[in-house]
Amino acid sequence: MEPTHLFELVIAMFLAIIALHYAAHRLGLPPSVALLTGGALLAFVPGLPAISVDPELVLVIFLPLLLMDGAWAIALARLRRHMIGIASLAVGAVLFTCAVVAVVAHLIFPSLPWAACAALGAIVAPPDAVSARAVLERVKLPRRLQILLEGESLLNDASGLVLFRFAVAAAATGAFSAGEAIGSFFVLALGGAVVGVVVGTAWVKLVRRLGDEYLIIAATVLLGWISYLLGELLHVSGVIATVTTGLIASWHQHTVFSAATRMRGTSFWTVMIFLMEASVFTLIGLSLRDVVERGGGLTTLIATMGLPMLAILVTLVVARFAWVFASDLVIRFCAALGVTRVQPLGAGGATVLSWAGVRGVITLALALSLPEGFPGRDFILATSFAVILGTVLVQGTTLGRVIAWARLVETETERARLTMSQAEVAMVQAQLGTVQSLAYDAEGKLIHPQLLDRYQRRATVIVDYAERTEHYKPVLHAHFDVVLEAVATGRRELIRLHRAGDIDDETLDELERDLDLEELSAISAKA
């Protein structure tokens, strides 16, 4: 394909993403479902060239930044608090699912080598970070379930990748050592964590020296790729390296970023991650054509592999349910003995956690990376795609209903000690203390009376609001509705003055930025 045609195809894909995302919004569907389905339909448009996805390139381009985004947004305190549960899902559930799928695959196809069956299990076992984010952003979960799913999706890729590489090596050499695999996993994970700490620490020191906000944003965007590539270059886990770097950067960004850097960087990052996530699902859909052609056509593929693929998909779902419910039973037993303070999830929480195991880009990339001539390659590739379609289209669209059925409630232990209003009171009182200390000169004369009065009134109002939040909410919403109308009126007048030639572009930009900040503040206050 000519480079210009490739670029045209990329632009066309972005336009399709916008259209599909809009259609999903109008139809009330998860965007991932619309993008995956739309990509699959586009793959069979006459005249459209076949899309051949390079799995290594897909991982290098998409995975680091999407992992960085997940690590950046995750609550670090809750991640530490629930690390045992996350490790159970990211390592234990992946190992268990891989083993169960391998056994079922071998029962279906006894002639398929155990190593190939294990490779299939490793490919489909880890739920995907991108798919998890796409599903979770549309549902409301208690904090504990949210952090378990987010933490699992960040860390389980490393488990799946290690298992997959050992399975492929075993298929090639005919030898496999469980002890060596476990030891290798811990070495890769530890090495990746060390690389992540080094890269993250270097980023913090660099950002403090750069000074220029655009350079800081550029350095932050490159951070995920640098960490991932360095980890892979040193033959440790690039996934763990990227996640560790992201956690360090997220922790320090509140102190090393200026307000302007944070606002500009967040806007740029949000759009970029949106395009990347959408592109992943669209590329998965576009890859369907190659899978169908390799299987001899859709009819032949369903006739020869339909039941085995369905059996693997059902096995995958059942294995996750079995692991989650068994783990919850162990927690319940330990809690009864007073061994642990962790409360069981309960039937509803365990069901939601089990049903949320959506597969995506990792599964596709690993399947496509199988070498030519690998035993059962076509079956593994078709099954991997069926698993992605099944979990995204079925679990992704019904998770909201499952959550509604479960009627989950937030436990007291997961609630923060302070509400937002109480935190605002603490913040404003600290500000007032600073203003009071600086409002007088060395002789004790008040030199900033208006500033002091402003902060005193603000502190009084916020304390009163925190004590009577429910009483003030309707009034507050009405107040900020008026503020937003005033902002809109000011914006129209500003644009009229600019169009009439009464103000220049610089004045327009400065005053428009002030209006933007006022509008964002009002919207945030209403939320």
Side-chain angles (χ1 to χ4, degrees), residues 18-42:
I18 294 172
L20 291 168
H21 212 280
Y22 175 75
H25 175 71
R26 297 287 295 181
L27 297 173
L29 293 172
S32 56
V33 173
L35 293 165
L36 187 61
T37 307
L41 294 175
L42 289 173

Side-chain angles (χ1 to χ4, degrees), residues 101 104-105 108 120 124 308-316 379 383 387:
V101 169
V104 172
I108 296 173
L120 172 60
V124 300
M309 290 190 298
L310 180 61
I312 295 299
L313 177 58
V314 172
T315 299
L316 198 68
F379 169 68
T383 302
V387 164

Side-chain angles (χ1 to χ4, degrees), residues 300-314:
T300 304
L301 186 66
I302 293 175
T304 58
M305 299 185 187
L307 288 177
M309 290 190 298
L310 180 61
I312 295 299
L313 177 58
V314 172

Side-chain angles (χ1 to χ4, degrees), residues 201-463:
T201 304
W203 173 84
V204 172
K205 294 182 179 299
L206 177 65
V207 167
R208 283 175 173 158
R209 292 179 177 273
L210 283 177
D212 185 275
E213 59 193 56
Y214 296 106
L215 293 178
I216 293 172
I217 294 170
T220 305
V221 169
L222 295 175
L223 187 60
W225 282 312
I226 292 171
S227 189
Y228 183 86
L229 292 173
L230 184 58
E232 293 297 309
L233 182 65
L234 297 175
H235 302 292
V236 297
S237 174
V239 171
I240 299 296
T242 306
V243 170
T244 305
T245 298
L247 293 174
I248 292 173
S250 172
W251 180 261
H252 287 281
Q253 58 99 3
H254 303 288
T255 57
V256 299
F257 280 179
S258 66
T261 301
R262 189 174 296 106
M263 287 186 64
R264 289 190 172 96
T266 300
S267 300
F268 174 78
W269 184 265
T270 302
V271 173
M272 183 177 65
I273 293 299
F274 162 73
L275 289 175
M276 283 200 150
E277 286 184 347
S279 298
V280 166
F281 285 108
T282 307
L283 285 173
I284 291 174
L286 290 170
S287 302
L288 177 61
R289 179 172 169 181
D290 180 60
V291 175
V292 171
E293 289 177 351
R294 292 184 66 92
L298 186 60
T299 304
T300 304
L301 186 66
I302 293 175
T304 58
M305 299 185 187
L307 288 177
M309 290 190 298
L310 180 61
I312 295 299
L313 177 58
V314 172
T315 299
L316 198 68
V317 175
V318 171
R320 183 172 176 87
F321 267 85
W323 180 269
V324 171
F325 273 85
S327 300
D328 202 49
L329 188 63
V330 171
I331 293 174
R332 189 180 298 275
F333 179 73
C334 292
L337 296 176
V339 176
T340 177
R341 296 181 180 178
V342 178
Q343 294 298 312
L345 291 170
T351 300
V352 171
L353 189 62
S354 303
W355 194 245
V358 183
R359 272 64 177 180
V361 62
I362 287 292
T363 295
L364 178 69
L366 292 182
L368 291 173
S369 67
L370 284 171
E372 292 291 340
F374 189 85
R377 185 179 190 274
D378 290 344
F379 169 68
I380 293 175
L381 188 58
T383 302
S384 301
F385 205 97
V387 164
I388 296 171
L389 283 175
T391 55
V392 172
L393 297 182
V394 177
Q395 292 174 279
T397 55
T398 58
L399 182 60
R401 296 187 185 94
V402 174
I403 293 171
W405 165 83
R407 296 183 179 180
L408 304 174
V409 294
E410 190 74 78
T411 59
E412 288 294 333
T413 56
E414 294 300 320
R415 290 195 179 99
R417 289 192 298 272
L418 298 180
T419 64
M420 184 177 293
S421 296
Q422 291 169 332
E424 194 172 15
V425 168
M427 180 186 70
V428 170
Q429 288 178 337
Q431 290 178 316
L432 176 60
T434 297
V435 172
Q436 286 174 332
S437 65
L438 298 176
Y440 299 86
D441 61 14
E443 286 75 31
K445 180 182 178 182
L446 181 62
I447 55 176
H448 299 296
Q450 292 180 336
L451 191 62
L452 180 59
D453 180 63
R454 181 178 127 199
Y455 273 87
Q456 286 174 334
R457 282 188 288 108
R458 185 182 177 201
T460 301
V461 168
I462 289 177
V463 168

